[in-house]
Amino acid sequence: GRNEDARKDLEAAVTEWPGLADALVDLGDLAVVRQALAEAREWYSRALIRHPGDTGAIFGIARLDFLENDFEKALAGFTEVLSAETRRDLHAQSRWMRGLILARKGEYDLAMADLNAAVELAPGSPEPFAYRAVILLQLHRKREASLDLHRARELLPSGSPLSGFVDRWLEAAKED
C-alpha cells in the first residue's frame, strides 16, 4: 500500500543521496509502523552515523527503547532530545513519553510537569491528555482526569487504536 510505496521512494532517495538523514529517519519510522523494530533501529543508527545529534534519530531510538521496556535508556534519549533545539512535535512526544517513564518510577511531580508541557506544545494531540489523565487517576484526581479523558476522546481520529484505552480509563474515572 502507501507505506510500501513510501518505503521504496525513501530507499531510492537514500541510494541516490546517502547522507539524507531525514529519509533514513523516515524509513525507521515506517519500520516501526510495520513493527520491524530491529530494522527501525538500523535506519535510525545509520542516520546518526551520517548526522550525529539528529534529534529525529535520537527520538526514534528512544521510542524503540521505550517499546522494548528499556526505560532507563529511553529516559536518557528523550532527555537528550529535549535538551536540543528540535521540532515542536518531537519535543511534545518526548515530553509525554518521558512523563510516562517518570510516572512508572513514582516521580509524579516531574511526570506531571512533562505532561503539562506536552499538552501546551501539542493541544491538538490526544496522547498527552490521555496519559496525563492516567496519572491524575493514580493521584486520585478523578475530576481533572475525566476532563482530560473527554478532551482526548474529542481529539481522537475515528478508528484510533487509542480509543479503547481512553474508553477503559473513562470507565475507571466514573468508578468510586
Side-chain angles (χ1 to χ4, degrees):
R2 289 185 4 208
N3 282 345
E4 185 60 24
D5 292 341
R7 185 184 62 77
K8 288 177 184 175
D9 290 344
L10 288 166
E11 286 180 352
V14 168
T15 300
E16 190 159 338
W17 301 289
L20 197 59
D22 287 347
L24 295 168
V25 171
D26 290 344
L27 284 163
D29 293 344
L30 286 170
V32 169
V33 169
R34 292 192 336 268
Q35 297 182 349
L37 302 186
E39 179 186 333
R41 190 174 295 277
E42 179 62 29
W43 288 120
Y44 296 137
S45 296
R46 286 177 60 185
L48 284 173
I49 289 167
R50 291 197 171 93
H51 296 279
D54 182 279
T55 55
I58 294 166
F59 174 83
I61 289 172
R63 180 177 52 189
L64 291 173
D65 292 335
F66 182 90
L67 292 171
E68 294 168 349
N69 297 322
D70 192 340
F71 298 116
E72 290 305 314
K73 281 175 70 175
L75 184 63
F78 294 133
T79 300
E80 184 176 350
V81 170
L82 292 170
S83 70
E85 289 294 319
T86 190
R87 298 184 336 236
R88 187 177 183 96
D89 64 322
L90 285 183
H91 198 85
Q93 290 176 50
S94 293
R95 284 279 184 187
W96 81 62
M97 294 185 86
R98 188 173 78 167
L100 292 174
I101 295 168
L102 291 167
R104 274 182 66 87
K105 295 174 72 170
E107 297 178 26
Y108 294 110
D109 289 341
L110 294 173
M112 286 301 295
D114 271 349
L115 287 157
N116 289 337
V119 165
E120 287 181 32
L121 288 164
S125 180
E127 289 90 350
F129 288 99
Y131 301 142
R132 184 172 70 178
V134 171
I135 294 170
L136 287 167
L137 284 171
Q138 291 173 343
L139 298 173
H140 307 287
R141 294 164 57 182
K142 288 185 178 186
R143 185 180 154 303
E144 293 166 90
S146 182
L147 291 172
D148 272 359
L149 288 165
H150 283 289
R151 181 68 183 137
R153 191 72 174 110
E154 291 169 6
L155 295 169
L156 282 171
S158 171
S160 169
L162 194 56
S163 295
F165 174 87
V166 169
D167 290 342
R168 282 189 300 280
W169 284 102
L170 272 168
E171 284 302 312
K174 288 179 189 175
E175 297 173 7
D176 287 326

